[in-house]
Amino acid sequence: MDRRYSALSHLECSRCTARFDSGELHGTCGCGAPLLARYDLAVAAGQVTPADIAGREPSLWRYHELLPVSGPGFVVSFGEGMTPLLPLPRLGRALGVPRLLMKDEGPLPTATFKARGAAVGVSRAAELGAAGVAMPTNGNAGAAWAAYCARAALPFLVAMPADAPLITRSECVATGAETYVVDGLINDAGRMLAPVVGQRPGWQDVSTLKEPYRLEGKKTIGLEIIEQLGWRLPDVIVCPVGGGVGLIGIWKVLAELAELGWIGSGRPRLVAVQAAGCAPIVTAFESGADVTSPWPQARTCAFGLTVPAPLGGFLVLQAVRETGGCAVAVPDADLLAAQARLAHAEGTWICPEGAACLAAVARLRESGWLAETDEVVVLNTGAGLKYPETVPADLPILPPDGWSARATPR
Ligand SMILES: *Cc1c(COP(=O)(O)O)cnc(C)c1O
């Protein structure tokens, strides 16, 4: 049998299961739902083992059989992946969850887990011959795609809300993306871009879940967590959810690993965490709904979670329910307090979206949903450094040798 770099087989609609050729560019299904990449997992199982993977380069491309890019020549990379799975012993003990771990995505290129989706999405768009790609963004996805598109020499058009973190705007401009700033939310930016993309021959709309390959990059978080635990499952994985790509990706790859026979039929309980200022998935989960309703006046400092109408909301709900998980909304004050508590206890300054997961863990332990014996992995999706405004540090400036006048050391 030919050894295949990728075991990609076809695309399948996540709602109506219609089948599509994976050899050409596709957006969503005619029914409006996202398309999912499907693989010849029997071929992959005959070709690669976890032991083979252990000997490969420390990047997400070590899982190339389970990724859509057809050969190493098409890989656009900064060496992303294999981020640390950090134990949080001091904070874990304080929260009553001593087996607390954090998958820390801060060290990725552009400092958020959006780099995973961009690495695989850009590689595949370029491989399939897209003339350019376009997306609305809350900032981090745009920054990541801007970097990878520049590396691939693929033209990139991006529109973001005016109050998206300023650094992400600079990142897009710095890497030469065609960047627009909109007085509105991400869905407004998306509405403005659609006709522009339609007028550009060969361009692709790469909005969240409107193309199938960003999800494939994001699923590698799940692969890494399982590999770093020695191909063993934790009890619970807690994910911040905006568009839901991270959580859906983890759920998807767990099914693929089970089919490969690398894990059993059990699943970690998947917890979706949102900010109270934009929680369409939590509201749907609590009311027993299968789909989300648009969230009015969305607002939170956890900007990556400001997604009022996620296209893949129904998939997040399915993933959470199927695994016996739950959905939790956290007010901004609580997630900022959790961010400070973690930084003081463990020395790591994480983004507000990741901090929301720690606030959720505290709540779920208090309510008894989490047990003291549970092994819990929280996903930190980015570095605190990208959100300097979340920690005010306006300290007095002392004159040289001015201890007594303005301040005294503790
Ligand atoms: C985009 C983003 C999220 C939300 O991720 P989804 O995959 O859209 O659910 C969380 N945290 C950060 C830092 C992000 O940039």
Side-chain angles (χ1 to χ4, degrees):
M1 193 195 311
D2 276 355
R3 292 186 75 79
R4 283 167 59 189
Y5 188 77
S6 168
L8 182 64
S9 142
H10 62 280
L11 302 173
E12 184 184 86
C13 175
S14 57
R15 189 187 288 137
C16 73
T17 72
R19 201 183 157 104
F20 296 82
D21 177 5
S22 60
E24 48 194 69
L25 289 171
H26 283 290
T28 49
C29 180
C31 82
L35 298 181
L36 302 176
R38 297 299 186 201
Y39 296 82
D40 290 319
L41 292 170
V43 171
Q47 217 180 273
V48 63
T49 65
D52 298 329
I53 287 174
R56 292 182 178 171
E57 60 165 327
S59 86
L60 61 79
W61 300 101
R62 69 207 268 111
Y63 308 110
H64 58 75
E65 285 89 350
L66 304 180
L67 293 173
V69 178
S70 72
F74 295 110
V75 168
V76 180
S77 176
F78 294 108
E80 55 286 326
M82 290 313 274
T83 55
L85 184 62
L86 291 175
L88 302 179
R90 208 170 289 119
L91 183 67
R93 271 196 306 277
L95 294 177
V97 188
R99 299 171 70 205
L100 183 62
L101 298 161
M102 181 170 80
K103 180 66 172 165
D104 187 9
E105 300 280 86
L108 286 171
T110 71
T112 75
F113 82 147
K114 293 297 194 296
R116 294 182 189 270
V120 175
V122 170
S123 295
R124 190 68 180 148
E127 176 181 357
L128 292 176
V133 294
M135 68 161 60
T137 178
N138 277 327
N140 290 328
W145 281 68
Y148 284 88
C149 282
R151 192 150 170 87
L154 182 65
F156 181 47
L157 165 64
V158 62
M160 63 174 68
D163 44 3
L166 193 58
I167 182 70
T168 61
R169 200 191 291 184
S170 302
E171 288 175 277
C172 291
V173 172
T175 50
E178 184 185 347
T179 309
Y180 298 95
V181 179
V182 178
D183 181 15
L185 294 179
I186 186 169
N187 43 327
D188 301 310
R191 223 175 9 255
M192 288 173 59
L193 283 183
V196 182
V197 176
Q199 281 161 15
R200 296 185 178 186
W203 276 63
Q204 194 183 22
D205 178 348
V206 293
S207 303
T208 305
L209 293 171
K210 287 195 178 166
E211 60 75 51
Y213 300 120
R214 191 205 292 205
L215 178 64
E216 296 305 293
K218 288 254 191 115
K219 81 180 183 187
T220 59
I221 307 164
L223 280 164
E224 289 179 19
I225 291 171
I226 306 302
E227 183 181 3
Q228 287 168 324
L229 290 173
W231 302 99
R232 187 175 60 70
L233 301 175
D235 296 301
V236 179
I237 300 179
V238 184
C239 303
V241 169
V245 189
L247 189 142
I248 297 166
I250 292 172
W251 178 54
K252 179 176 189 284
V253 87
L254 287 167
E256 291 169 358
L257 289 173
E259 202 177 326
L260 281 166
W262 294 1
I263 61 170
S265 59
R267 293 287 183 277
R269 286 127 71 200
L270 298 180
V271 177
V273 180
Q274 300 204 284
C278 183
I281 287 167
V282 179
T283 301
F285 177 78
E286 287 174 349
S287 69
D290 292 333
V291 293
T292 56
S293 309
W295 190 268
Q297 267 121 45
R299 184 142 203 100
T300 165
C301 68
F303 218 76
L305 307 186
T306 321
V307 184
L311 183 63
F314 72 104
L315 294 171
V316 175
L317 289 163
Q318 227 174 298
V320 165
R321 290 193 174 118
E322 235 183 68
T323 60
C326 67
V328 181
V330 177
D332 278 12
D334 290 11
L335 64 88
L336 288 172
Q339 182 194 40
R341 191 172 180 188
L342 171 71
H344 288 227
E346 306 278 1
T348 175
W349 181 18
I350 67 173
C351 65
E353 295 86 348
C357 294
L358 293 166
V361 165
R363 263 176 198 228
L364 292 172
R365 182 69 189 98
E366 274 160 30
S367 73
W369 194 90
L370 284 176
E372 190 177 12
T373 49
D374 280 334
E375 183 174 45
V376 178
V377 176
V378 296
L379 183 56
N380 172 44
T381 42
L385 289 174
K386 289 198 84 166
Y387 300 76
E389 70 290 348
T390 55
V391 180
D394 20 339
L395 303 174
I397 312 285
L398 305 177
D401 223 3
W403 284 125
S404 58
R406 302 285 305 274
T408 37
R410 278 189 276 194

